[in-house]
Amino acid sequence: MAALADRRRINGPSGGTSAPIFARIVKEPGYLQSLRPSRTRGPNELRKIFLQTGIVPSASGSAYLEIPSELPSKTTLIPSSSSLKLSCSIQGPKPLPRSAPFSPSLLLTTTVKFAPFATRTRRGYIRDSVERDLGVHLETALRGVIIAERWPKSGVEVVVTVIEGDEDGWWGDDFSAKRGSGGGSGSGWGLLNVLAGCITVASAAIADAGIDCVDLVSGGVAAIVRNPRSRGDDVVKILDPNPSEHQDVVAACAVGYLAGRDEITELWMKGDVGPDPDQLVDGATHAAVGSLSVLREVILEAVEAKFKGPATEGDSLKRKSPSQDVEMGG
């Protein structure tokens, strides 16, 4: 049975979010390549993370995570690389319907949805296979963290909205592919960064909701890329990769990591990892530890502000709000 068309809204064009390409870029391929971004961070240096809790008052818990992009170029209006912006809200724990069968533990439901404007190619309003796969990976990462036995016959829903997602590659490669010169992205490297961000922001939202967990789980990504300055097959391992900054990504790995227990709750690996995959997994766990330092500080400040009562009326005007933000590097 064919799906019914959504007649309640008018969908925009499929390529409505693409930035305009001017004639100078079309006529000068060398100028196009000069706009390619390059990694200025060290191999083990992480990007700055902005994390804030309590952004949705109607939800049981919520959080917002942003990893900003590099500074825009002065010669073009097109950003050199994308940034990562995620919003998470928690609904529950709440009782299941009477018609539902008895469950001795908490039922976890995870949903990951891209906003229509989250990527350069406009997305639809109905969840596709990529979003469903991300939801399954996120559920696997969170299932071993929540102490589900404390909420029998109850359910909780974790909803993550991707406001802006990391791209799979540089936009100039896609433009070159359309002109017939090969290249182009679409390999899915950016989804690993999206998954790691979803794990971190969901962990912050669950802590903000007051749901008992065994530990805070954080996400991290590591990748193996080819060295562009070398003529051979020399590869280098980097933490927190930005796919638009690398011309050839060999393999990448995303993990959900419990630092207190030294356990990995989720592992997603892509590409040719070579004979030693443990090296790539160790790099991803190190990146997750860097994200955990930001997560811990945000949760600690939010808890202190929530349970710290003002002594006088003057102190109440100066006290911190429950939503705290921290911007720091790994």
Side-chain angles (χ1 to χ4, degrees):
M1 180 177 179
L4 296 178
D6 190 354
R7 302 178 182 275
R8 293 175 295 179
R9 58 171 64 93
I10 299 176
N11 296 331
S14 60
T17 58
S18 297
I21 306 298
F22 297 97
R24 180 179 178 185
I25 300 180
V26 175
K27 296 180 179 180
E28 300 180 10
Y31 175 74
L32 178 63
Q33 293 299 324
S34 66
L35 300 178
R36 178 185 291 274
S38 59
R39 184 183 177 102
T40 57
R41 299 173 284 128
N44 298 329
E45 184 179 355
L46 308 180
R47 291 177 290 182
K48 293 183 178 180
I49 298 176
F50 175 86
L51 184 61
Q52 182 177 355
T53 59
I55 63 171
V56 182
S58 60
S60 303
S62 58
Y64 171 79
L65 182 142
E66 179 178 350
I67 301 180
S69 60
E70 300 294 336
L71 296 177
S73 175
K74 297 182 180 179
T75 59
T76 179
L77 297 177
I78 306 175
S80 57
S81 60
S82 61
S83 59
L84 183 63
K85 300 177 183 177
L86 304 173
S87 174
C88 179
S89 61
I90 307 295
Q91 302 295 336
K94 53 187 177 181
L96 294 176
R98 292 182 179 271
S99 59
F102 177 78
S103 175
S105 59
L106 182 68
L107 294 181
L108 175 64
T109 304
T110 57
T111 303
V112 178
K113 184 70 181 74
F114 281 83
F117 48 82
T119 57
R120 293 187 184 272
T121 301
R122 188 175 181 87
R123 289 182 172 268
Y125 294 95
I126 302 176
R127 294 178 64 199
D128 55 15
S129 60
V130 173
E131 295 166 334
R132 289 192 292 268
D133 289 344
L134 288 175
V136 172
H137 284 292
L138 179 60
E139 181 181 357
T140 304
L142 300 179
R143 186 173 297 277
V145 179
I146 299 176
I147 306 177
E149 293 77 10
R150 297 188 179 181
W151 288 276
K153 201 177 180 182
S154 301
V156 63
E157 186 176 3
V158 180
V159 181
V160 179
T161 302
V162 183
I163 304 175
E164 184 177 356
D166 262 350
E167 297 177 339
D168 296 335
W170 182 49
W171 63 267
D173 293 336
D174 287 340
F175 180 69
S176 299
K178 293 179 181 179
R179 295 166 53 195
S181 58
S185 60
S187 53
W189 302 118
L191 295 178
L192 298 175
N193 290 334
V194 173
L195 175 61
C198 289
I199 294 173
T200 303
V201 72
S203 180
I206 290 174
D208 184 59
I211 301 176
D212 295 339
C213 300
V214 297
D215 195 3
L216 293 175
V217 60
S218 58
V221 183
I224 298 176
V225 299
R226 298 190 188 278
N227 189 357
R229 300 179 181 178
S230 176
R231 297 181 179 179
D233 295 335
D234 295 341
V235 294
V236 60
K237 183 187 72 174
I238 59 175
L239 305 185
D240 190 18
N242 189 347
S244 61
E245 297 177 350
H246 307 284
Q247 301 182 22
D248 191 358
V249 180
V250 179
C253 174
V255 300
Y257 183 61
L258 290 172
R261 293 192 169 192
D262 193 20
E263 295 179 1
I264 294 178
T265 60
E266 168 60 19
L267 177 64
W268 188 12
M269 195 173 295
K270 291 174 63 69
D272 184 9
V273 297
D276 189 12
D278 294 339
Q279 182 181 4
L280 190 60
V281 175
D282 291 341
T285 56
H286 292 161
V289 171
S291 301
L292 181 62
S293 62
V294 182
L295 180 60
R296 282 177 174 173
E297 185 170 347
V298 171
I299 298 301
L300 180 60
E301 291 185 2
V303 170
E304 290 178 352
K306 185 178 296 184
F307 293 98
K308 180 174 153 183
T312 61
E313 183 179 358
D315 295 337
S316 64
L317 298 177
K318 298 179 181 179
R319 74 179 188 272
K320 298 180 181 179
S321 62
S323 304
Q324 298 295 326
D325 52 24
V326 172
E327 180 178 354
M328 60 185 298

